[in-house]
Amino acid sequence: MEDAEKRSENTLQGTSENIDNILLSVEETAGNILFNMVCYLNQPERMYTYCQQLIESNPYVTGCVIAMQPGYYKEAPYFMVYMHRLETSDQPGSDSPIVRDNRLTTRPYYEQAWWRKTHHERCATWMNPQEDSETDEEPFISYCMPIPDAKMKPIGVIRMDVSMGLLSNIVAAAKPSTHSFCAVLDKDGSFIVHPNGSHLIPHTADKLHGESLKKVVDDMKSGNSSHNIIDFNGNSYYAFYKPFMHAKAPYRTNVNSGWSIGIAYSVDDIYNEYNSVFKMAMTLGFMGLVLMFVFALIILRHQLKPLSALSNQAKRIALGHYDHQLPKNKRHDEVGRLQNGVERMQLALAKQIGELEQNTNTLHERNKVLHKAYNQARKAEFLKVAFLHNVTNQMIKPAQDIDNYVEKLKLMDGNTDKQTAAILAEGIQENGNSITKTLNHILNLSEEDMRKEVESHE
């Protein structure tokens, strides 16, 4: 809004100076021609030449009138020359032919407002179109300058017409935005400059509808300088306006014309650039965030790549693969120290696992020896049992024989002969010796001897 206000102020100032330059050029053209006319006022035929020169020498002039006081020329009591461009173009300095017209309006020129006012006030002035409403041609503003005689008494009037449409198009070309428009109002509310097209076609601002427009028009008619929001054709505008000031120049009159210049600035145009910049900023911000995310992702992947390698290495270690080596570490941060720790752990685990495998192999060998010894012990025990069983079987018969002999001895009485008893005693002794021999044999035999003995027995 501040930017729009500054641009509008600059545009107001520039537009005001542009309009004033056009008006000043018309005034200077009239002054230069008048300077040449002074010596030839008694030659009415030269007025036609001067009138044509006034139009040709200034591209903004669309018509010119040179009228002399009634009775000044005896041969032409009501002398008036009126020339104008055949067609008014939207551009200054058009190639339209200049034609002469014998009549200006239905009334004589000396009864019209532009003649009476200039002749009465005896000073140059700008006439607004509403002050001469009898004209049927395109609305125009007129610069009217009295023609003085040697005693500075007015004897005629020069009127130079500037098309309002031409002036409006020149001003409209310098508008600050697409939908903005400029207007110049007189103190009575009539338009000096109005945009073409659908904007402000009535030539009186009082005919406009809307309270906001009427308030702005009243302020402009009062010569105030301010800005307000107006509603026009369903759109919102910021209206900036201030009094129109003519630049001071030597011999220039009518410095304060009572005009007011304003610019209506569309709200959409005010924020259009901001919205465009905002959308661009949002787009660039989003793209920046995306790029930042991509760069952050790349950096994170690069930074986390060693951690991923360490994770995979830990999985391999957990599966028992200790021979895979990590890439050489060149980092000196926490990740580098962690990788060095993992490498030391891997070496320590590999060493411990190697020792564990060696101990396991040794244990397996020892288990084999123990298993073999256990089998041999079981076999020896079996052989021992078998041998004892066999020996025991060998001792049963002698023991039974001893038992029988003992029973028989118990049954003997005095009638038994000594020979029988001796035989029984001898049998007991032999069987006892056999048992004793067998027991001594058991004590003297080694395990291998017992095995051989048992095998031979088997």
Side-chain angles (χ1 to χ4, degrees):
M1 184 62 194
E2 292 176 357
D3 180 66
E5 187 172 352
K6 291 179 180 178
R7 280 192 292 174
S8 298
E9 291 177 356
N10 294 334
T11 305
L12 277 176
Q13 183 65 27
T15 304
S16 177
E17 293 176 357
N18 189 18
I19 295 174
D20 192 51
N21 288 335
I22 295 174
L23 302 182
L24 183 58
S25 69
V26 174
E27 296 174 13
E28 290 178 348
T29 300
N32 293 334
I33 296 298
L34 179 62
F35 181 79
N36 295 326
M37 288 174 55
V38 173
C39 299
Y40 303 98
L41 291 177
N42 56 352
Q43 301 178 19
E45 66 278 0
R46 294 183 65 94
M47 298 300 110
Y48 295 96
T49 303
Y50 289 130
C51 186
Q52 185 170 356
Q53 288 180 353
L54 282 171
I55 300 176
E56 292 177 346
S57 59
N58 195 302
Y60 304 107
V61 177
T62 57
C64 179
V65 177
I66 298 179
M68 303 303 291
Q69 184 176 358
Y72 185 76
Y73 297 122
K74 295 181 179 180
E75 63 275 16
Y78 301 101
F79 181 83
M80 183 195 74
V81 178
Y82 175 45
M83 293 185 180
H84 62 87
R85 299 184 188 274
L86 186 61
E87 295 180 358
T88 302
S89 173
D90 293 338
Q91 300 296 329
S94 64
D95 296 330
S96 300
I98 300 174
V99 297
R100 182 192 304 178
D101 201 338
N102 293 326
R103 65 183 185 89
L104 192 60
T105 59
T106 57
R107 292 190 303 165
Y109 66 88
Y110 50 85
E111 294 181 4
Q112 297 180 25
W114 60 272
W115 167 273
R116 294 198 307 269
K117 183 176 181 180
T118 306
H119 196 269
H120 176 71
E121 294 181 359
R122 298 187 178 185
C123 64
T125 184
W126 281 94
M127 299 288 294
N128 300 333
Q130 297 299 324
E131 295 185 34
D132 193 8
S133 57
E134 294 183 4
T135 178
D136 296 329
E137 300 178 0
E138 178 185 5
F140 51 78
I141 57 176
S142 302
Y143 179 67
C144 302
M145 184 174 61
I147 302 175
D149 58 5
K151 297 180 180 180
M152 301 304 295
K153 182 179 178 181
I155 57 175
V157 174
I158 298 176
R159 194 188 82 179
M160 301 177 66
D161 300 331
V162 178
S163 169
M164 289 180 56
L166 176 62
L167 192 61
S168 297
N169 289 332
I170 295 173
V171 174
K175 60 183 180 180
S177 66
T178 305
H179 303 96
S180 63
F181 52 88
C182 178
V184 179
L185 294 182
D186 190 18
K187 58 186 177 181
D188 60 358
S190 59
F191 281 107
I192 306 301
V193 173
H194 65 86
N196 292 333
S198 60
H199 294 297
L200 311 178
I201 287 180
H203 301 301
T204 302
D206 296 332
K207 296 180 180 180
L208 298 175
H209 301 286
E211 294 297 328
S212 58
L213 278 173
K214 291 181 178 180
K215 183 178 183 303
V216 170
V217 169
D218 291 340
D219 281 352
M220 294 179 69
K221 290 167 60 176
S222 301
N224 297 328
S225 177
S226 181
H227 67 272
N228 285 291
I229 297 179
I230 62 174
D231 294 326
F232 185 73
N233 289 341
N235 297 320
S236 297
Y237 295 85
Y238 276 97
F240 301 87
Y241 48 91
K242 69 176 184 178
F244 180 85
M245 300 299 295
H246 292 279
K248 293 182 179 181
Y251 307 105
R252 191 179 191 187
T253 59
N254 196 20
V255 176
N256 185 9
S257 61
W259 295 357
S260 182
I261 182 171
I263 288 181
Y265 206 161
S266 174
V267 175
D268 294 335
D269 290 346
I270 292 177
Y271 296 104
N272 184 38
E273 294 183 4
Y274 166 77
N275 291 333
S276 300
V277 173
F278 178 76
K279 292 178 181 178
M280 184 180 298
M282 290 295 294
T283 302
L284 293 177
F286 177 75
M287 294 176 62
L289 289 176
V290 172
L291 291 177
M292 187 182 300
F293 175 77
V294 172
F295 290 152
L297 184 62
I298 294 174
I299 294 173
L300 286 176
R301 286 175 63 88
H302 177 73
Q303 295 294 330
L304 296 179
K305 187 176 181 180
L307 293 178
S308 178
L310 291 176
S311 176
N312 296 331
Q313 183 70 3
K315 292 179 182 179
R316 284 190 290 268
I317 292 174
L319 295 175
H321 304 290
Y322 306 102
D323 56 345
H324 185 272
Q325 297 295 328
L326 289 171
K328 188 175 180 181
N329 179 31
K330 297 182 180 179
R331 303 171 64 103
H332 301 285
D333 54 359
E334 291 78 2
V335 177
R337 292 194 291 270
L338 178 61
Q339 183 173 345
N340 293 333
V342 171
E343 290 177 352
R344 290 194 297 270
M345 179 190 71
Q346 181 180 354
L347 294 176
L349 285 175
K351 182 178 179 180
Q352 292 179 0
I353 294 300
E355 293 176 355
L356 182 60
E357 288 179 352
Q358 184 178 0
N359 294 333
T360 302
N361 294 332
T362 303
L363 182 60
H364 284 319
E365 294 295 330
R366 291 180 180 179
N367 285 337
K368 289 180 181 180
V369 174
L370 290 175
H371 186 66
K372 184 177 181 181
Y374 174 73
N375 291 333
Q376 291 176 354
R378 286 189 63 187
K379 190 173 183 180
E381 182 69 20
F382 175 75
L383 293 175
K384 179 180 178 181
V385 173
F387 175 75
L388 291 176
H389 182 70
N390 184 30
V391 173
T392 303
N393 289 337
Q394 293 178 7
M395 294 174 62
I396 290 175
K397 187 177 183 304
Q400 289 178 351
D401 290 342
I402 293 172
D403 184 66
N404 290 332
Y405 292 152
V406 173
E407 289 294 330
K408 289 179 180 182
L409 287 175
K410 289 172 60 178
L411 295 175
M412 290 180 62
D413 53 9
N415 295 324
T416 306
D417 56 1
K418 294 182 181 180
Q419 186 177 358
T420 303
I423 292 170
L424 292 173
E426 185 178 357
I428 291 172
Q429 186 176 1
E430 290 178 358
N431 289 319
N433 291 331
S434 178
I435 293 173
T436 301
K437 183 178 179 181
T438 302
L439 292 175
N440 290 329
H441 184 67
I442 292 172
L443 293 174
N444 294 325
L445 285 175
S446 63
E447 181 179 351
E448 185 65 24
D449 293 335
M450 285 192 296
R451 186 181 64 80
K452 293 180 179 180
E453 184 69 20
V454 172
E455 290 178 355
S456 63
H457 178 72
E458 292 176 352

